[in-house]
Amino acid sequence: MDTETTRFASDVLRDFVIRVLERAGARPDDARLVAEGLVSADLRGVHTHGVLRTEIYVNRLRQGSINASATLRTIQTRGPISHVDADAGFGIAMAARAMDLAVDLARAHGVGIVAVRNSNHCGMLAALALRPVAHDMIGVALSNADAQVAPWGARAKFLGTNPMAIAVPAGAEPPIVLDMATSVVPHSRIQAAQARGQTIPTGWAVDREGRPTEDPTEALRGALLPFGGPKGSGLSLMIDILAGLLPGALSGPDVTPLYEDLDRAQGLGHLLIALAVDTFGPPGAFAARIDALIRQVKSLPPAQGYDRVYLPGEIEHERAKEYSRSGIPLPAEVRAVLDRLAADLGMTPVQPIGQ
């Protein structure tokens, strides 16, 4: 991402994205859920999954691979488990509704599990995993993705970056939120290095011959690598099974890449889980135990080169609080995307803070 930034108020940014999506043909409820998901990513500093994605969603909507009239259709429900079809709708909106369904199931059964097929890109998974937290529940979100990663020992793309997120409610402390891809870095990091003419560290990717490369162009022709070698590779494969093959979604190389074949739905799958804390005792008591755990970890002496110990999601939580006060700093390339969308749709460009 470009280092030059301009700050935007989060509510102004959200309302602008809603208007863009509605003008492009999205229904109001879908537009709101998508905009909230994108802006939540920018608030946490995850700009690769923020409002930058609005343009590709608009392009897919125009090409018909995102179904503007999609509904979340229940295929079967058995106790706390529901199998649903996203009808090729907006992935963020459909996944949010599926997680809310998981929350409803968890209220009745202690746990809710919703497997989604026939979906599209569902954005930053932390936003989905955090939805149950407001209901004193632990949230888990898994999604498969198009093939970008070589399995351990292979040189060809087969696995997606296949992310996962887990959010745990706390009390006085912020929630613990793990949100991670199963590749060493996301695909967008390689693309950014290529655009800047920079090299990449050895260990991020291999070229088409399976050789480690520092050239981002060769990396994009080759494959990303899983984090942790065989461990990340195995975890990615299991996520593809649980989120993709289990609900009947496409898998690996069969998934349509987000930025290719825009007239064809991606066919992604998600697995969304809500776990009710009160199944195991009073939520307040659990929150107190999590607070104690957080404080114990943070009281540990930092290692050389570190000034403090962070919990998963803590940096993003602090960033979101700061950006809520002072505005979201968007890189110049993201503002350019928003200005281009405004011009294309005959809208007034979104206004930065102070202008």
Side-chain angles (χ1 to χ4, degrees):
M1 290 284 180
D2 197 307
T3 55
E4 180 187 347
T5 62
T6 306
R7 289 188 179 265
F8 295 83
S10 60
D11 57 341
V12 171
L13 202 56
R14 183 196 64 237
D15 291 345
F16 174 78
V17 173
I18 289 173
R19 293 196 304 275
V20 165
L21 293 171
E22 287 182 346
R23 187 162 293 197
R27 292 175 304 191
D29 284 351
D30 285 340
R32 176 183 57 81
L33 287 169
V34 173
E36 288 173 353
L38 295 177
V39 172
S40 70
D42 281 315
L43 276 168
R44 294 174 73 84
V46 188
H47 297 307
T48 56
H49 287 60
V51 297
L52 173 67
R53 301 279 188 176
T54 308
E55 186 173 47
I56 188 60
Y57 293 166
V58 166
N59 291 340
R60 282 191 161 275
L61 187 62
R62 285 171 162 171
Q63 293 292 322
S65 58
I66 292 179
N67 179 6
S69 59
T71 58
L72 192 69
R73 179 172 61 87
T74 299
I75 301 166
Q76 177 180 220
T77 297
R78 184 182 300 174
I81 303 173
S82 189
H83 183 202
V84 301
D85 189 298
D87 199 18
F90 283 99
I92 291 177
M94 293 301 172
R97 293 184 178 112
M99 182 59 97
D100 292 345
L101 174 58
V103 168
D104 290 341
L105 292 169
R107 286 197 185 99
H109 301 281
V111 64
I113 303 172
V114 179
V116 185
R117 74 180 188 192
N118 194 20
S119 188
N120 286 296
H121 185 263
C122 67
M124 179 186 70
L125 290 193
L128 296 171
L130 279 164
R131 295 180 80 86
V133 168
H135 305 280
D136 291 322
M137 297 180 186
I138 294 171
V140 181
L142 311 176
S143 181
N144 70 347
D146 60 283
Q148 297 289 348
V149 181
W152 175 250
R155 69 183 186 194
K157 297 176 181 178
F158 186 86
L159 297 170
T161 54
N162 296 353
M164 63 176 290
I166 304 172
V168 179
E173 302 291 340
I176 300 175
V177 184
L178 173 69
D179 185 2
M180 54 175 275
T182 47
S183 53
V184 176
V185 293
H187 187 250
S188 57
R189 292 281 296 277
I190 309 288
Q191 290 176 313
Q194 181 191 45
R196 296 173 184 166
Q198 299 173 336
T199 59
I200 59 174
T202 301
W204 281 16
V206 293
D207 64 16
R208 285 176 291 188
E209 301 302 318
R211 298 171 299 205
T213 182
E214 296 180 353
D215 183 340
T217 300
E218 290 302 317
L220 292 172
R221 292 171 180 162
L224 304 183
L225 290 173
F227 85 92
K231 295 180 180 179
S233 181
L235 181 58
S236 180
L237 182 65
M238 292 302 174
I239 291 173
D240 196 33
I241 292 170
L242 292 172
L245 293 175
L246 181 65
L250 299 181
S251 170
D254 295 327
V255 173
T256 304
L258 180 61
Y259 288 91
E260 298 176 18
D261 299 322
L262 302 190
D263 60 343
R264 189 171 69 189
Q266 290 189 272
L268 289 169
H270 322 304
L271 187 70
L272 305 162
I273 303 170
L275 182 62
V277 169
D278 63 8
T279 303
F280 306 92
F286 176 75
R289 294 198 295 272
I290 295 299
D291 280 353
L293 171 67
I294 291 171
R295 291 162 187 163
Q296 284 179 312
V297 173
K298 291 181 64 61
S299 69
L300 296 171
Q304 185 175 358
Y306 296 86
D307 58 357
R308 58 185 281 196
V309 179
Y310 286 95
L311 272 292
E314 184 179 359
I315 293 174
E316 292 83 357
H317 178 81
E318 292 181 354
R319 190 179 288 140
K321 288 201 301 183
E322 177 198 341
Y323 290 174
S324 293
R325 292 191 302 267
S326 61
I328 299 171
L330 290 184
E333 63 193 79
V334 179
R335 184 177 184 183
V337 167
L338 300 180
D339 288 347
R340 187 161 62 238
L341 282 167
D344 183 34
L345 293 165
M347 297 172 55
T348 302
V350 62
Q351 293 301 301
I353 291 175
Q355 293 187 18

